Amino acid sequence: MKKEFAVIGLGRFGGSICRALAEEGMEVMAIDVDEDRVNEFSMIASHAVVGDTTDESVIKSLGIRNFDHVIVAIGDNIQASILTTLILKELGVNKITVKAQNDYHEKVLRKIGADHVVHPERDMGRRIAHNISSNNVLDYLELSDEHSIVEIVANEKLSGHTLIDLDIRAKYGINIVAIKRKNDIIVSPLAHEEIQTNDILIVIGADVDIVRFEKKVMG
């Protein structure tokens, strides 16, 4: 069965989520107080509705409690974001993801029961900063405040060495969970796998350990 999603707030963040879910073939209800935005998504989402989600009767009339996942992507109105989240929680919505404007906003959202809180601008800023500050890093995904998955291009220093030679897990406390090699991907590579120049190493671990590995081995 297709999962059913509701996206509340159709600004840049909510709009991009709505489009991506629709492209994946998911059932998506798009909701915003702005009629022009709703009209923009009427051909993209399964349903597009003009509605004020700070009004409990509006949320109830939309049947949102039956959705698998509700994303609250309300832009600058923190009060509306908090009130909407609170109503969704009280109605028993299964999973709620909310966009936070700042750390204080996040604290309140977590206290009232948001399942997942995202800071798209902050997280993208960190991701870009990490990517442009290292010659070897291709991509960076933050798992928590202290842990990440990073794609690192293997240089000539690593070429010809096996994973057991490098003993990366014992020395740095990080794990190479996969190696991309041209059009192939080696998942959970064996200890005797020999690294080649330009292999893309998919590394998971604490940020401080990944940085230490980058500086010592890749630098």
Side-chain angles (χ1 to χ4, degrees):
M1 282 179 65
K2 286 182 184 177
K3 282 192 172 180
E4 291 188 323
F5 295 85
V7 179
I8 300 171
L10 301 173
R12 267 188 313 181
F13 176 64
S16 64
I17 286 181
C18 193
R19 283 192 181 89
L21 289 170
E23 284 168 10
E24 291 288 326
M26 301 297 173
E27 292 283 327
V28 188
M29 178 184 279
I31 307 161
D32 200 290
V33 290
D34 186 317
E35 191 173 349
D36 290 338
R37 282 183 182 170
V38 171
N39 289 338
E40 186 187 333
F41 283 87
S42 61
M43 302 298 288
I44 297 166
S46 314
H47 311 281
V49 182
V50 178
D52 177 4
T53 54
T54 63
D55 183 337
E56 188 173 345
S57 63
V58 170
I59 291 186
K60 281 182 175 175
S61 71
L62 295 174
I64 282 184
R65 66 174 298 176
N66 300 317
F67 282 72
D68 298 294
H69 195 155
V70 179
I71 298 95
V72 181
I74 294 170
D76 298 329
N77 192 335
I78 288 177
Q79 185 176 324
S81 164
I82 291 168
L83 192 51
T84 297
T85 305
L86 189 60
I87 293 168
L88 292 171
K89 195 68 188 173
E90 286 178 347
L91 288 176
V93 170
N94 191 37
K95 191 170 184 184
I96 306 166
T97 294
V98 192
K99 173 189 173 182
Q101 297 296 325
N102 52 47
D103 292 340
Y104 173 73
H105 188 193
E106 177 178 2
K107 276 184 186 175
V108 175
L109 291 170
R110 291 199 182 280
K111 278 189 188 262
I112 62 176
D115 298 291
H116 189 51
V117 179
V118 294
H119 293 260
E121 289 88 358
R122 183 197 70 182
D123 295 346
M124 184 54 72
R126 284 184 181 175
R127 189 171 181 175
I128 291 168
H130 197 102
N131 289 5
I132 63 178
S133 65
S134 169
N135 295 327
N136 303 305
V137 172
L138 284 185
D139 205 357
Y140 164 84
L141 177 64
E142 189 176 88
L143 297 176
S144 71
D145 286 342
E146 297 175 356
H147 292 82
S148 303
I149 297 177
V150 180
E151 287 189 354
I152 299 175
V153 182
N155 58 15
E156 290 176 3
K157 277 189 180 180
L158 294 181
S159 183
H161 292 284
T162 64
L163 296 182
I164 202 164
D165 290 339
L166 296 167
D167 204 12
I168 289 169
R169 188 173 183 179
K171 288 180 181 174
Y172 301 97
I174 61 177
N175 286 294
I176 295 176
V177 292
I179 298 172
K180 287 184 188 174
R181 182 172 295 151
K182 293 180 181 173
N183 295 324
D184 296 325
I185 183 159
I186 304 159
V187 179
S188 299
L190 299 172
H192 59 71
E193 185 67 46
E194 193 173 289
I195 294 173
Q196 299 174 15
T197 304
N198 294 326
D199 278 354
I200 297 170
L201 311 179
I202 301 173
V203 176
I204 187 169
D207 293 338
V208 289
D209 294 329
I210 293 172
V211 169
R212 202 157 49 92
F213 168 71
E214 274 184 73
K215 285 181 178 173
K216 191 132 185 179
V217 178
M218 307 291 296

